[in-house]
Amino acid sequence: SDGAVADFLVHEVLDNLPADLLDFLLTTSILERFTAPLADALTGNRDGAAMIGRVEAANLFLIALDRDRSWFRYHALFADLLRGELARRRPDGATALHLAAARWLAGAGFTSEAVDHALRAGDTALATGMVEALCMPLITSRSIAQVRGWLARLPDAVIEARPRLMLAQVWVHFHTSQPGPGARILGRPG
C-alpha cells in the first residue's frame, strides 16, 4: 500500500505541479528543517518566502516549526518521497545541495546541522574542520553520541592525522565505558 500511495502522490500530485514549485520541493527535500533564506541558498533564487507560501497554499505536507512561521519541515513520509524523486530525477543533484546547505548552516551558526550536510556531501575537509571545532565543547556538555557518530563517519586516516580528533575519540571511549580502545589510541606514537 505504501507503493500505491507513493505512486498516487508522484503521478497525481507532483507531476501536476508547476515546474518551479516541484523544483523547490525537490531541492529543499534534503533539509530536515528550513527557512526562506536557507531555501534561497539552495535554489539560487530569492523567492524562498513566496515559495513556502505556495507550498502551504497547496497543502503539500508542510509543517511550521515555530510561532513566527519562519522554520518549516515536510511531513517525514512526504520528505522521503521527495528525496526519492530527487535521486531519480537528478541522480547527482543531492551532493551540491548538501554542500550548499552545509555552508549556509555553518555561516548562520547551525554548525551541528552543517556537519551532517558536509558529511552527506562527501566534503571531508569541511566536515573535519567543523567537527574539530565542536567536538570538545560537545563532549563537555555530554553530547557524546553526536561526537561518536561524526567520528564514525570520518575516515580513520583523517582522525589519526588530527590530534584534537584523536583526543575526542579517547574521551568518547572513556565516556562510553570503553577504556581499552581509548588507552590504545593514547599509546599510539604521535
Side-chain angles (χ1 to χ4, degrees):
S1 66
D2 287 347
V5 171
D7 286 343
F8 171 80
L9 286 172
V10 169
H11 298 296
E12 299 299 322
V13 177
L14 297 183
D15 287 347
N16 291 314
L17 291 173
D20 64 332
L21 187 57
L22 177 59
D23 185 61
F24 180 85
L25 290 170
L26 296 176
T27 298
T28 56
S29 71
I30 64 130
L31 302 165
E32 294 298 318
R33 65 185 188 122
F34 60 94
T35 188
L38 175 53
D40 289 346
L42 267 64
T43 64
N45 298 322
R46 293 180 182 249
D47 61 353
M51 294 302 287
I52 289 169
R54 287 176 62 193
V55 171
E56 278 188 301
N59 292 317
L60 291 172
F61 309 101
L62 187 67
I63 300 164
L65 297 176
D66 58 0
R67 241 183 232 176
D68 298 334
R69 302 185 67 74
S70 59
W71 284 93
F72 299 87
R73 72 171 178 84
Y74 297 116
H75 183 282
L77 296 175
F78 189 61
D80 286 343
L81 174 78
L82 291 173
R83 284 189 287 270
E85 282 300 297
L86 176 65
R88 187 176 72 77
R89 295 174 190 225
R90 294 188 247 158
D92 298 324
T95 300
L97 294 173
H98 282 295
L99 189 55
R103 290 184 175 140
W104 188 91
L105 289 161
F110 300 106
T111 316
S112 181
E113 291 172 79
V115 170
D116 289 328
H117 284 286
L119 288 168
R120 288 182 188 155
D123 191 328
T124 304
L126 179 61
T128 300
M130 289 187 283
V131 170
E132 218 171 16
L134 282 178
C135 61
M136 293 315 292
L138 285 173
I139 288 171
T140 59
S141 69
R142 303 239 182 245
S143 298
I144 306 300
Q146 184 158 26
V147 174
R148 180 177 50 203
W150 288 340
L151 292 173
R153 293 170 67 186
L154 292 175
D156 289 339
V158 169
I159 294 170
E160 291 170 4
R162 307 272 186 132
R164 280 188 187 161
L165 294 180
M166 287 179 62
L167 181 60
Q169 200 167 47
V170 168
W171 277 108
V172 166
H173 285 305
F174 281 108
H175 278 287
T176 57
S177 300
Q178 299 173 348
R184 279 192 291 282
I185 293 168
L186 289 174
R188 290 183 182 165

